[in-house]
Amino acid sequence: MISFLNFLNGYYKIYICGLCPERFLNLCTRKGLLLWKLTRRKEGYQFYVSRKSYDNLLSIQEKTHTTIEIQGKYGLPFFLYRYRKRKLFFAGMIGCGLFIYYLSLFIWDIQIEGTLRYTEEEIEKYLMEKDIHTGIKKTKIHCAGLEEEIREDFPDAAWVSCDIEGTRFRVHLKESIDEANKETKKSDSEPKDIVASKSGQITSIITRNGTPLVKKGDKVKQGDTLISGVIYIYNEFDELLETSKVLADGDIRAKTVLNYEDSFPLIYYAKSYTGRKKVHYQFYLGDYKLALPGKNIPYESYDKLDEKHQLKLGHNIYLPFSFEKTTIREYLAVKKNYGKEGAKEKANKKLNRYLKEQKENGIEIVSSHVQISFEEGKCVAKGTITVIQSIGRVRKIKDTNEIKKEEKEGKVSS
């Protein structure tokens, strides 16, 4: 803050020398004059002082018989005086400021965060349908109403936040990751069963609505009904009083077996970069591309890297100007062989990556039995993986005869 005020008021860079420069500094301190960046220079001292305090230095100079030399003048007053005859320059500065202010009234960058099931392209297309795009006035965006619309139109969006920072419009989503219950949540109020999407052995079942037909430890086949959407109400004499149909709801996890198979050739081609490269630039005004010459690629084999940068002022004031940097690197394809040890290492890495992806999807790994073999110039990884995962999915309720047959050992009275 002090440095900004000094810039507004102007300040000097001073060099003093003489018989008693230290006495000069002591008198400055006694009078409360602010000196900064004080350094020893040859036979004197160099420092900075504000324009208002400079007049007091002259009286101290006479008392101490020192010499004052002005080595520089800085700040807004000196800048304006130096360019006082350049009226077009100042008019241009004012015009530039007004133009930037005008641009700040619009949205020039849209950022989508937190998407898992939905892609950024889907959200951007949805916003375009709502007439929200780059170049729209910020006053036309009503964040609270848009949040409610997104929650209604995207059922898996558990939480939505829309906000404007500078000229950036940001949409942040948190999606429901309850895979076992996702299909049930997307269903309407029509009565439905929950059935097994895979064969396996039940490890846990939580019923929130409906009649459970299986229990922990039961073995089920794909398509078996796990939670029925039909509820039977019996009296104390075990006589059926009435039935009602509901939308079954619950979480069912089971131990199942995944078949794993992967293969790749032992011979492969690696990239050997020659060190030759070319760089091209492309400029944009909004979505309009300003075509530039010289984009021919002289290499037969190459990698291409595109980096797009949008110009901005500060942290969040984005401008409708951007440029794209394209780097093209030449390489030669070199034939190589993994060898058995290298191939095993690669196969294990791919298997571990697959297991990690399953864990990230909420699947618990129990055991892995995968064998690595070599056949016909290939490395083959094949085996089974035992996991615990959600296996429930919704299905239309079967007719009464089918239901009673499945429920003959699963009656629940209330």
Side-chain angles (χ1 to χ4, degrees), residues 113-234:
E113 298 177 349
T115 53
L116 295 172
R117 173 178 170 80
Y118 303 112
T119 64
E120 291 186 15
E121 289 74 16
E122 285 181 284
I123 305 298
E124 289 174 356
K125 184 179 178 181
Y126 175 81
L127 293 176
M128 285 293 292
E129 292 173 356
K130 297 290 182 181
D131 200 28
I132 296 176
H133 49 80
T134 55
I136 186 176
K137 263 198 168 184
K138 293 192 286 187
T139 54
K140 292 185 177 181
I141 300 178
H142 304 286
C143 292
L146 183 61
E147 289 171 2
E148 187 63 30
E149 291 178 4
I150 294 176
R151 280 193 291 267
E152 291 178 0
D153 296 334
F154 294 86
D156 289 326
W159 179 82
V160 181
S161 172
C162 300
D163 60 82
I164 297 174
E165 294 181 349
T167 59
R168 169 190 282 177
F169 176 62
R170 185 171 60 181
V171 179
H172 188 85
L173 291 88
K174 283 189 178 179
E175 300 176 11
S176 171
I177 57 173
D178 187 359
E179 295 292 337
N181 208 28
K182 184 177 287 186
E183 289 194 48
T184 303
K185 288 180 180 178
K186 292 199 298 184
S187 301
D188 52 25
S189 57
E190 178 187 352
K192 291 184 180 180
D193 293 331
I194 294 182
V195 301
S197 59
K198 295 177 179 291
S199 300
Q201 184 177 19
I202 303 298
T203 58
S204 67
I205 177 170
I206 299 174
T207 305
R208 285 186 285 271
N209 204 17
T211 303
L213 303 183
V214 295
K215 60 183 181 298
K216 182 179 178 180
D218 289 352
K219 292 184 178 180
V220 298
K221 295 181 180 179
Q222 183 177 352
D224 288 351
T225 304
L226 306 178
I227 300 177
S228 173
V230 178
I231 297 177
Y232 290 93
I233 302 175
Y234 295 86

